[in-house]
């Protein structure tokens, strides 16, 4: 969002520190740095922070800003188990708390049970089924078509033969996605997104549909490249008014070109901002969202690739001079406090240390990033500010825990990805 910077910095927001926050994450990902960012952001504001996460060994639980980590009593999380778990935590907290989902499945689950938790939690009430509609890749494609939002041409094959034929028709390579990636089990070895290079590869992937839990869709591939991947993070209040938000450019990703943001920079982009604000307004969206765009270098148009109805893992990139971000804005909004207009910091950089290391090794792009950091919007700033996902001088324990755990688990997995793969091989 663009606001004129006044001669005097915007006043810092005043939080209702008597209202705790519960961060909910059902995805089994112990290295989710977005959850840590939310714990630190709210905790530093003096808010009592609780978590309910699927991974009891997460480094997030080592943060000094976390009041308490609540764990599942046993067995995997499910919608049937979530409601009594939230009730149990509400009794422990003893007063209403702001509930913030941190992944897609949590956002979908929270929407379904929100009407039954109004006495225990302050939470966003979306239009019925909206979180599930936007998170579902097939439904998102249809939504973009009716809303006039640029989106890659997408088809849903009904057989392996159709998948092979559609792959040829779309023009190889094509992007294959599972419509509801949150239903994927780690035991299947399937990735939520795969770049398909041959018709046979598309056919083989379709044959895994029964194990994936949702339909396979094939999507026109828009070639990436430097400066083509962008994202928008925002928090929306009543009447879908954007309270805070910003556009950023993905500098490095892991996995390379198709994965999450390993290094990102806050750059104004009016085309992306207009598309994001217009879509949120049309949908009547409220709460936090994270949108991914890719620019077609041939047409110059920005295509929406993903709509995540929750904070993006790199949301702390968009921290303004008053310390405001989308998570803090949501707490302010749900507790009836005013959200002060943002005082943006274009050029600010966010680095996820573990993923940036792997992406830099794979692409040898780290040196190029250093050369280019002074270019583009925000060039006039004297000093580029930034934030790392894991390390913080006032909260070092999560970084140490991440490094120990990630080097033993995630590091081995990442290094295997660096090995050359046969071009026609199906990615696991």
């Amino acid at each position: 969002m663009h606001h004129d910077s006044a001669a005097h910095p915007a006043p810092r927001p005043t939080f209702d520190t008597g209202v705790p926050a519960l961060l909910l994450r059902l995805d089994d990902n112990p290295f989710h740095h977005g959850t840590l960012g939310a714990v630190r952001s709210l905790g530093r504001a003096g808010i009592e922070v609780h978590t309910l996460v699927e991974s009891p060994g997460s480094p997030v639980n080592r943060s000094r800003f976390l009041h308490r980590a609540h764990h599942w009593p046993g067995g995997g999380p499910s919608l049937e188990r979530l409601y009594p778990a939230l009730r149990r935590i509400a009794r422990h907290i003893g007063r209403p708390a702001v509930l913030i989902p941190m992944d897609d499945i949590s956002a979908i689950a929270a929407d379904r049970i929100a009407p039954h938790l109004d006495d225990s939690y302050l939470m966003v009430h979306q239009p019925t089924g909206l979180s599930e509609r936007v998170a579902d890749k097939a439904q998102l494609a249809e939504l973009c078509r009716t809303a006039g939002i640029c989106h890659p041409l997408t088809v849903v094959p009904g057989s392996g033969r159709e998948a092979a034929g559609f792959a040829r028709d779309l023009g190889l390579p094509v992007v294959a996605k599972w419509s509801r990636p949150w239903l994927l089990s780690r035991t299947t070895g399937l990735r939520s997104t795969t770049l398909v290079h041959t018709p046979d590869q598309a056919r083989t992937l379709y044959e895994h549909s029964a194990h994936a839990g949702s339909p396979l869709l094939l999507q026109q591939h828009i070639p990436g490249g430097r400066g083509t991947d962008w994202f928008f993070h925002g928090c929306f209040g009543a009447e879908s008014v954007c309270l805070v938000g910003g556009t950023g450019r993905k500098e490095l990703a892991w996995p390379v070109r198709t994965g999450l943001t390993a290094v990102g920079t806050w750059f104004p982009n009016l085309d992306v901002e207009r598309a994001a604000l217009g879509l949120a307004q049309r949908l009547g969206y409220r709460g936090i969202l994270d949108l991914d765009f890719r620019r077609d270098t041939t047409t110059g148009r920005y295509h929406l690739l993903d709509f995540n109805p929750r904070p993006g893992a790199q949301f702390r990139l968009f921290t303004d001079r008053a310390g405001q971000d989308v998570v803090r804005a949501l707490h302010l909004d749900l507790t009836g406090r005013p959200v002060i207009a943002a005082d943006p910091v274009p050029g600010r950089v966010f680095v996820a240390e573990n993923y940036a290391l792997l992406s830099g090794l794979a692409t040898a792009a780290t040196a190029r990033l250093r050369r280019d950091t002074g270019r583009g919007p925000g060039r006039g700033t004297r000093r580029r500010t930034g934030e790392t996902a894991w390390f913080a001088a006032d909260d070092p324990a999560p970084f140490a825990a991440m490094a120990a755990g990630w080097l033993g688990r995630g590091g081995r997995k990442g290094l295997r990805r660096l090995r050359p793969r046969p071009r026609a091989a199906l990615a696991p």
Side-chain angles (χ1 to χ4, degrees):
M1 301 293 291
H2 296 285
H3 302 275
D4 293 330
S5 295
H8 301 286
R12 291 187 175 273
T14 303
F15 296 92
D16 187 344
T17 55
V19 180
L22 174 64
L23 306 177
L24 175 65
R25 197 188 75 237
L26 300 180
D27 179 38
D28 181 16
N29 178 8
F31 302 110
H32 187 264
H33 51 269
T35 305
L36 177 60
V39 168
R40 286 172 170 167
S41 177
L42 296 172
R44 286 168 178 153
I47 297 166
E48 181 180 298
V49 185
H50 298 250
T51 60
L52 177 59
V53 298
E54 204 281 339
S55 307
S58 173
V60 173
N61 295 343
R62 302 288 301 278
S63 174
R64 62 183 288 261
F65 295 105
L66 180 63
H67 180 79
R68 178 168 176 176
H70 300 267
H71 305 305
W72 292 95
S78 66
L79 187 61
E80 293 74 20
R81 298 168 62 83
L82 177 60
Y83 179 75
L86 290 176
R87 281 293 189 193
R88 171 177 53 83
I89 294 171
R91 290 193 296 269
H92 171 83
I93 295 176
R95 59 197 189 279
V98 171
L99 179 64
I100 306 177
M102 295 302 299
D103 60 356
D104 290 350
I105 184 58
S106 298
I108 293 167
D111 277 0
R112 291 180 180 176
I113 60 178
H116 308 291
L117 292 171
D118 281 340
D119 60 336
S120 302
Y121 294 97
L122 305 176
M123 52 196 304
V124 171
H125 288 263
Q126 294 283 15
T128 304
L130 180 58
S131 290
E132 191 163 2
R133 284 175 57 208
V134 298
D136 186 305
K137 310 301 183 187
Q139 293 191 51
L140 177 63
E142 178 61 21
L143 186 154
C144 288
R145 187 187 65 81
T146 58
I149 302 293
C150 287
H151 187 272
L153 181 61
T154 302
V155 294
V156 181
S159 67
R161 182 177 179 179
E162 277 193 0
F166 285 151
R168 283 190 293 264
D169 294 342
L170 288 172
L172 295 165
V174 298
V175 178
K177 296 181 178 180
W178 299 106
S179 181
R180 300 184 172 195
W182 61 89
L183 297 179
L184 279 176
S185 169
R186 289 181 180 271
T187 60
T188 64
L190 297 171
R191 294 180 183 170
S192 60
T193 302
T194 304
L195 192 61
V196 171
H197 294 278
T198 69
D200 283 343
Q201 191 177 358
R203 180 187 295 108
T204 301
L205 194 57
Y206 178 87
E207 291 170 356
H208 288 84
S209 297
H211 305 290
S214 66
L216 178 73
L217 59 85
L218 299 177
Q219 200 170 79
Q220 178 189 16
H221 176 55
I222 300 174
R226 182 156 184 79
T228 59
D229 287 317
W230 293 77
F231 47 86
F232 176 91
H233 289 186
C235 179
F236 293 79
E239 307 299 326
S240 298
V241 172
C242 189
L243 304 174
V244 297
T247 57
R249 190 176 71 185
K250 187 181 296 188
E251 311 289 1
L252 293 177
W254 186 257
V256 176
R257 293 185 296 276
T258 61
L260 55 77
T261 300
V263 178
T265 309
W266 186 347
F267 279 161
N269 186 318
L270 287 176
D271 291 329
V272 170
E273 184 176 311
R274 289 192 194 101
L277 298 182
L279 181 57
Q281 187 70 43
R282 181 183 180 94
L283 296 175
Y285 192 88
R286 186 172 184 188
I288 300 173
L289 57 72
D290 164 28
L291 308 180
D292 291 324
F293 292 84
R294 176 167 288 181
R295 180 171 58 88
D296 187 330
T297 56
T298 302
T299 65
R301 303 177 75 182
Y302 290 86
H303 293 254
L304 178 63
L305 301 183
D306 282 307
F307 190 131
N308 303 302
R310 41 74 179 174
Q314 75 275 28
F315 79 91
R316 286 287 297 168
L317 170 65
F318 302 108
T319 304
D320 72 4
R321 290 182 176 87
Q324 187 71 279
D325 59 39
V326 294
V327 168
R328 288 187 174 189
L330 184 63
H331 191 281
L332 289 167
D333 186 45
L334 291 178
T335 56
R337 297 297 178 100
V339 180
I340 300 168
D343 188 8
V345 190
R348 179 175 162 84
V349 176
F350 180 89
V351 179
E353 302 96 314
N354 47 345
Y355 299 118
L357 173 63
L358 287 176
S359 184
L361 290 172
T363 63
T366 305
R368 290 203 306 272
L369 179 64
R370 291 198 188 102
R371 289 197 302 269
D372 293 342
T373 49
R375 302 177 185 174
R379 178 178 54 186
T381 58
R382 292 183 180 179
R383 175 175 172 269
R384 294 174 63 83
T385 61
E387 182 163 341
T388 49
W390 290 101
F391 181 76
D394 62 347
D395 190 30
F399 175 81
M402 178 280 295
W406 182 78
L407 288 174
R409 174 182 170 180
R412 287 193 299 269
K413 180 179 178 181
L415 290 173
R416 285 198 300 270
R417 289 182 177 176
L418 296 177
R419 297 171 185 166
R421 294 174 180 266
R423 183 177 179 82
L426 181 65

